[in-house]
Amino acid sequence: MQRDALPFYRVMAYVTGVFLLLLCVAIYLRYGPPDEPGMSAVVSPIHGWLYVVYLVAVGLLVYQRGWRGLHVLLIALAGTVPFASFVAERFVVKKAREGERIR
C-alpha cells in the first residue's frame, strides 16, 4: 500500500516557509543596521537543507499524482520566495482534493 505524499508535502511547505521568513530576518540582521551575522550563520544552512527536503516532497507528490506542466515548476520554486510556499500549499491541497473527487 502506497502512502499519500500530500501530508508530507504540506508539512514541508510550512516548515520551509517559516524558515525562509526566519532567513529574511537573519539577512536583515546581518546586512542591516544591527550588523549581527550569528543568526544568518545558523538559519541559512538549515533552510538550505529543508528546501532540498521540500523538493523531494514536491517530487514525490508530483510523481504520485501524475501532475505536469508549469505549475509544478512554480510549486518547486515556492520555497525560495517569502510567503509563496504558504500560497502554493493552499493551491496544491485544492488541486489534490479536486483530483480525488474526479476519481
Side-chain angles (χ1 to χ4, degrees):
M1 183 172 176
Q2 188 177 12
R3 296 179 70 174
D4 189 16
L6 185 61
F8 177 51
Y9 166 78
R10 293 184 76 186
V11 168
M12 288 313 304
Y14 279 110
V15 171
T16 303
V18 168
F19 268 88
L20 181 57
L21 293 176
L22 285 174
L23 180 61
C24 291
V25 171
I27 294 299
Y28 171 75
L29 291 175
R30 181 176 189 163
Y31 296 110
D35 195 25
E36 179 62 42
M39 185 176 174
S40 175
V42 173
V43 175
S44 296
I46 292 173
H47 171 69
W49 284 108
L50 286 173
Y51 182 67
V52 171
V53 177
Y54 172 79
L55 289 177
V56 169
V58 169
L60 290 172
L61 184 69
V62 167
Y63 175 76
Q64 189 179 66
R65 305 280 173 163
W67 293 346
R68 300 192 193 290
L70 180 62
H71 64 271
V72 172
L73 178 64
L74 295 176
I75 293 168
L77 291 175
T80 63
V81 179
F83 298 106
S85 66
F86 305 119
V87 175
E89 187 270 339
R90 290 284 75 206
F91 170 78
V92 166
V93 169
K94 182 180 175 186
K95 184 172 175 59
R97 290 190 176 147
E98 286 175 358
E100 289 173 359
R101 284 187 222 132
I102 293 172
R103 291 179 188 166

